[in-house]
């Protein structure tokens, strides 16, 4: 199958070829994202089956996250060296192999080890998938194509608990991993057929120093962040020491990358004003989004006494709202720029989350469902337009670094968001004079205030996002200046 050049007709929608490529990436994204959330509902099951502590069981989630953080920075170099198709197929194979091994784990140690193998594969699925999509659609349609990728990204945190609850309750815990096997085999076969092969176009020198600084730095920093969940505070030595060490390694990488000629990750991309503004907005957005996503099911289960399955269903209106606005926002972002949509979306999210600041022990499910629906409308209008804005102004050769940057930010912000909100919630619950349902609901409401504040803060950088169509018909350099370039070719 030969490479194809994306259509330059900016008024047209996504062609059949591009949609086929999008289906490849969505299959991989579904597995990677669902597996993060499905395992979250299986923690008690792992404790019972393997006769282990909650702290040990939590490593099935933490180990996966650390493996993701370690391999994501390799994405840009790996695709330049081996090609996007080869890297993507290898990632799928590792993920499926890890899934099979997880299902046959004999103790908690083996399960954690196999989860890390899963993470090594899953870590590159999203950044490499974004590269494939961006190059397939061309910069003039990046908003539309990112809206396709956004569906599993937004629905994963909602569908994961539902799927996990169903499989654990009606089948067995093994199937939260085995469910990946048929999807993975389909994804591998379909990817091998649809994606275009390519000759190696470059053999960039491998930045060993950068790897030794960034990958361990991210992993150690996120280990410290995630440890705050079990410690209940950020002031513990178990939390502070790895966070400080990780942050020092990351800062050292920044200095190294800005001085080096071929760094593992090109941080000079931040000279692009639109990319910088988007990353700041995206960071606060994701911290609030993933933090709030943690609170919804905990409130329904811990305060209202619902099952995991019912809690997942009660959160579903958020996904329905996102599905309505995401395709429209994606197409319109390509035509009028992301600024107006992102600002409107953030306001809707703030309104929806604002309802949860006044939680009670018997707050109407209709009111909460409506608030989640409004929030979902905002999510669909803001999340993917932000990602589109980050990538649309990049030159073709910078897409790999841009995609990797976005995914590093996403993984880090998600971990920080869940940790910060978890600690705040734990502190609020500990401060209760009597843990009655009403008092507990108020503690959740006070925690949601933090999420609302973080979302409102997003309005400041989002105000500076482009409110007109981004000039991508002619590629732009890292300073945002138009340059002449050949059409973007699909990997």
């Amino acid at each position: 199958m030969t490479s194809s050049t994306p259509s330059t007709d900016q008024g047209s929608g996504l062609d059949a070829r591009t949609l086929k490529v999008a289906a490849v990436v969505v299959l991989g994204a579904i597995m990677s994202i669902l597996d993060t959330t499905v395992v979250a509902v299986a923690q008690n099951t792992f404790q019972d089956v393997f006769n282990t502590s909650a702290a040990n069981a939590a490593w099935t989630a933490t180990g996966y996250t650390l493996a993701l953080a370690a391999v994501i920075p390799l994405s840009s170099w790996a695709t330049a060296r081996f090609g996007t198709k080869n890297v993507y197929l290898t990632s799928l194979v590792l993920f499926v192999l890890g899934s099979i091994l997880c299902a046959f784990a004999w103790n908690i140690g083996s399960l954690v080890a196999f989860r890390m193998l899963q993470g090594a594969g899953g870590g590159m699925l999203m950044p490499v998938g974004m590269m494939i999509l961006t190059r397939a659609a061309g910069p003039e349609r990046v908003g539309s194509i990112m809206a396709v990728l956004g569906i599993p990204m937004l629905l994963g945190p909602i569908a994961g608990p539902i799927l996990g609850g169903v499989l654990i309750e009606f089948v067995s815990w093994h199937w939260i991993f085995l469910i990946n096997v048929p999807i993975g085999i389909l994804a591998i076969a379909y990817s091998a057929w649809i994606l275009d092969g390519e000759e190696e176009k470059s053999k960039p020198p491998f930045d060993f120093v950068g790897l030794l600084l960034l990958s361990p730095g991210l992993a150690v920093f996120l280990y410290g962040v995630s440890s705050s969940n079990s410690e209940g505070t950020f002031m513990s030595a178990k939390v502070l020491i790895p966070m400080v060490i990780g942050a020092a390694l990351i800062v050292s990488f920044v200095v190294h990358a800005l001085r080096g000629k071929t760094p593992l990750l090109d941080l000079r991309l931040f000279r692009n004003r639109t990319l910088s503004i988007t990353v700041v907005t995206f960071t606060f957005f994701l911290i609030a989004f993933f933090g709030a996503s943690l609170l919804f099911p905990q409130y329904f289960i811990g305060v209202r006494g619902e099952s995991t399955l019912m809690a997942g269903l009660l959160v579903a209106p958020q996904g329905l709202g996102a599905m309505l606005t995401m395709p429209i926002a994606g197409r319109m972002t390509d035509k009028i720029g992301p600024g107006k949509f992102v600002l409107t979306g953030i306001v809707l999210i703030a309104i929806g989350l604002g309802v949860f600041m006044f939680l009670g022990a018997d707050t109407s499910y209709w009111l909460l469902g409506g608030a989640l629906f409004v929030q979902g409308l905002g999510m669909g209008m803001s999340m993917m337009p932000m990602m589109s804005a980050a990538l649309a102004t990049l030159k073709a050769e910078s897409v790999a670094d841009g995609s990797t940057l976005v995914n590093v930010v996403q993984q880090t912000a998600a971990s920080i968001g869940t940790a910060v909100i978890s600690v705040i919630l734990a502190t609020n619950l500990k401060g209760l004079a009597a843990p009655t349902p009403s008092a507990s609901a108020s503690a959740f409401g006070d925690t949601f205030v933090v999420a609302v504040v973080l979302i409102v803060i997003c309005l400041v950088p989002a105000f500076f996002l482009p409110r007109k169509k981004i000039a991508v018909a002619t590629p732009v350099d890292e300073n945002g200046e138009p340059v002449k370039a050949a059409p973007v070719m699909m990997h």
Side-chain angles (χ1 to χ4, degrees):
M1 198 173 290
T2 58
S3 293
S4 57
T5 304
S7 167
T8 57
D9 178 6
Q10 297 173 21
S12 64
L14 299 175
D15 55 80
R17 170 67 184 166
T18 303
L19 289 174
K20 290 178 182 178
V21 174
V24 168
V25 178
V26 167
L27 282 173
I30 286 174
M31 290 193 303
S32 177
I33 296 171
L34 275 182
D35 220 61
T36 303
T37 53
V38 165
V39 169
V41 304
Q43 294 299 297
N44 290 337
T45 302
F46 293 152
Q47 293 176 51
D48 295 337
V49 170
F50 297 117
N51 190 26
T52 190
S53 66
N56 288 336
W59 268 99
T60 58
T62 304
Y64 182 83
T65 300
L66 299 186
L68 288 179
V71 302
I72 287 174
L74 291 170
S75 303
S76 180
W77 174 84
T79 54
R81 177 64 178 81
F82 302 107
T84 51
K85 179 177 181 177
N86 292 332
V87 174
Y88 194 72
L89 284 171
T90 301
S91 297
L92 286 172
V93 170
L94 283 175
F95 190 87
V96 173
L97 176 61
S99 298
I100 295 172
L101 292 173
C102 283
F104 292 96
W106 56 90
N107 58 30
I108 193 65
S110 62
L111 180 58
V112 170
F114 297 147
R115 281 285 287 166
M116 295 182 76
L117 177 62
Q118 260 192 319
M124 288 194 188
L125 286 178
M126 287 300 292
V128 177
M130 287 173 63
M131 297 175 205
I132 293 171
L133 284 179
T134 303
R135 288 165 175 162
E140 72 279 356
R141 299 183 297 175
V142 71
S144 298
I145 202 68
M146 283 298 152
V148 175
L149 182 60
I151 294 174
M153 291 183 69
L154 280 179
L155 294 186
I158 299 168
I162 299 175
L163 179 62
V166 169
L167 291 175
I168 292 172
E169 185 171 347
F170 298 106
V171 192
S172 76
W173 68 268
H174 304 83
W175 278 94
I176 65 176
F177 301 113
L178 291 177
I179 193 72
N180 292 323
V181 177
I183 300 175
I185 292 174
L186 175 62
I188 292 168
Y190 190 56
S191 300
W193 175 49
I194 290 295
L195 297 182
D196 292 338
E198 58 177 306
E199 297 297 325
E200 293 175 17
K201 294 188 176 180
S202 64
K203 293 186 177 181
F206 187 64
D207 182 13
F208 284 103
V209 174
L211 177 66
L212 292 175
L213 291 174
L214 184 57
S215 289
L218 283 172
V220 172
F221 178 79
L222 294 183
Y223 169 73
V225 169
S226 62
S227 296
S228 65
N229 291 329
S230 58
E231 296 295 306
T233 177
F234 282 96
M235 294 298 105
S236 166
K238 184 179 178 181
V239 177
L240 282 177
I241 292 175
M243 283 184 66
V244 170
I245 294 173
L249 289 172
I250 294 171
V251 170
S252 299
F253 171 77
V254 171
V255 174
H256 165 77
L258 293 176
R259 292 177 176 175
K261 293 183 178 179
T262 55
L264 186 67
L265 200 56
D266 187 5
L267 299 183
R268 296 179 183 89
L269 292 180
F270 283 113
R271 293 173 181 170
N272 183 315
R273 180 176 178 273
T274 300
L275 176 66
S276 298
I277 293 171
T278 303
V279 166
V280 173
T281 311
F282 203 42
T283 300
F284 282 102
F285 175 88
L286 290 173
I287 291 173
F289 170 66
F290 282 97
S293 296
L294 176 79
L295 294 177
F296 298 134
Q298 288 194 23
Y299 166 75
F300 288 125
I301 295 170
V303 178
R304 306 299 288 267
E306 303 291 353
S307 66
T308 300
L309 176 58
M310 181 56 69
L313 293 173
L314 288 168
V315 178
Q318 177 180 285
L320 297 176
M323 290 178 67
L324 288 177
T325 55
M326 190 179 294
I328 299 171
R331 288 194 298 269
M332 295 304 294
T333 294
D334 291 334
K335 297 179 180 179
I336 64 174
K340 296 176 182 177
F341 281 100
V342 174
L343 285 170
T344 305
I346 290 174
V347 170
L348 288 175
I349 295 170
I351 293 172
L353 276 179
V355 173
F356 284 84
M357 294 191 302
F358 306 99
L359 281 176
D362 56 357
T363 304
S364 167
Y365 280 171
W366 287 102
L367 175 61
L368 298 182
L372 285 166
F373 181 75
V374 171
Q375 182 186 334
L377 294 175
M379 291 289 182
M381 293 180 68
S382 53
M383 188 170 185
M384 301 321 293
M386 277 191 275
M387 295 183 72
S388 303
L391 299 177
T393 59
L394 298 179
K395 293 186 292 184
E397 61 267 28
S398 299
V399 167
D401 276 329
S403 174
T404 305
L405 269 176
V406 169
N407 278 272
V408 167
V409 169
Q410 179 179 336
Q411 186 61 50
T412 304
S415 298
I416 291 174
T418 53
V420 168
I421 296 299
S422 293
V423 170
I424 293 173
L425 176 62
T427 301
N428 289 340
L429 290 174
K430 285 180 181 178
L432 297 178
T436 63
S438 179
S440 298
S442 295
F444 273 89
D446 292 341
T447 309
F448 270 109
V449 171
V450 178
V452 173
V453 169
L454 289 170
I455 281 293
V456 172
I457 289 174
C458 291
L459 289 170
V460 178
F463 180 80
F464 297 98
L465 288 173
R467 298 182 203 175
K468 296 181 180 179
K469 180 179 177 179
I470 297 177
V472 293
T474 301
V476 296
D477 63 22
E478 62 226 13
N479 296 313
E481 298 298 326
V483 297
K484 292 184 179 180
V488 179
M489 299 297 291
M490 186 185 74
H491 270 219

